[in-house]
Amino acid sequence: MNKITITRMADILAKHVDDHPKYGFAKQAVTPSVHKYEVASPREGNQTVVAFYTLPPGKSNYPFHYHTTNEEVFYVIAGCGELESNDGMFPITAGDVIVCPAGEAGAHKITNTHPTDALVYLDVDTNQTPDIAYYPRTGKVGIRHAGGMRDNFLLGSNVAYYDGEDE
């Protein structure tokens, strides 16, 4: 992004992601999310990625995870929910700001706990690559890198350094 952006949530088309019973949301990207990892070089994309999220009742944004490189900041606009962290569960409500540092201490998951109302928040992320996301409960690791790499692996499925290099 090479210019100042002024917009309103109501002016941004929502993309719905709801293909899982526990996870689902509507995302309204303020900055083009394509720039997050699909640029040719980390210097070509935005230094931050900004989006509005709307979580339906009972849904979470993403599985419990943390990033090794990027930080995330959430500002709760409306509704109420719960933040899961390594330090436990914390109620969140409109007006709360949540700062998740890079590293294990920043592990988090947001869930809408209200039976009928949506949870709406603004998500601001730093945008540095490569970034590795760890999912401690499931033993997954996600590798994100400029050039479009967005792959997930199970920890422990690694191969030897010279495996397949017999040519």
Side-chain angles (χ1 to χ4, degrees):
M1 179 170 60
N2 296 321
K3 63 180 184 161
I4 293 174
T5 299
I6 300 173
T7 191
R8 293 178 177 270
M9 187 177 170
D11 296 337
I12 303 170
L13 184 63
K15 177 184 173 190
H16 293 274
V17 177
D18 58 3
D19 57 351
H20 192 279
K22 291 177 145 183
Y23 304 98
F25 53 84
K27 179 179 180 181
Q28 294 164 274
V30 175
T31 56
S33 60
V34 67
H35 290 295
K36 188 157 188 179
Y37 300 117
E38 295 177 11
V39 293
S41 141
R43 298 195 190 285
E44 291 180 24
N46 300 325
Q47 292 185 34
T48 57
V49 176
V50 181
F52 293 101
Y53 281 78
T54 302
L55 302 183
K59 296 279 189 165
S60 298
N61 58 353
Y62 298 103
F64 186 70
H65 71 286
Y66 65 90
H67 300 268
T68 60
T69 305
N70 290 309
E71 298 179 341
E72 295 180 280
V73 176
F74 308 109
Y75 174 72
V76 181
I77 297 168
C80 62
E82 193 168 63
L83 171 75
E84 180 178 356
S85 76
N86 285 328
D87 296 324
M89 307 293 259
F90 298 93
I92 58 173
T93 189
D96 287 346
V97 176
I98 303 154
V99 179
C100 300
E104 192 172 355
H108 62 279
K109 175 181 167 184
I110 295 175
T111 302
N112 180 351
T113 57
H114 198 277
T116 58
D117 295 341
L119 172 65
V120 181
Y121 64 90
L122 179 68
D123 180 354
V124 181
D125 303 342
T126 57
N127 185 27
Q128 299 179 33
T129 67
D131 185 29
I132 298 172
Y134 283 96
Y135 301 85
R137 298 230 167 77
T138 56
K140 290 186 299 189
V141 62
I143 299 174
R144 315 291 187 243
H145 195 282
M149 183 176 193
R150 298 185 69 138
D151 294 317
N152 297 299
F153 304 92
L154 286 174
L155 288 172
S157 64
N158 50 332
V159 296
Y161 181 75
Y162 291 112
D163 200 18
E165 300 295 334
D166 295 334
E167 306 172 6

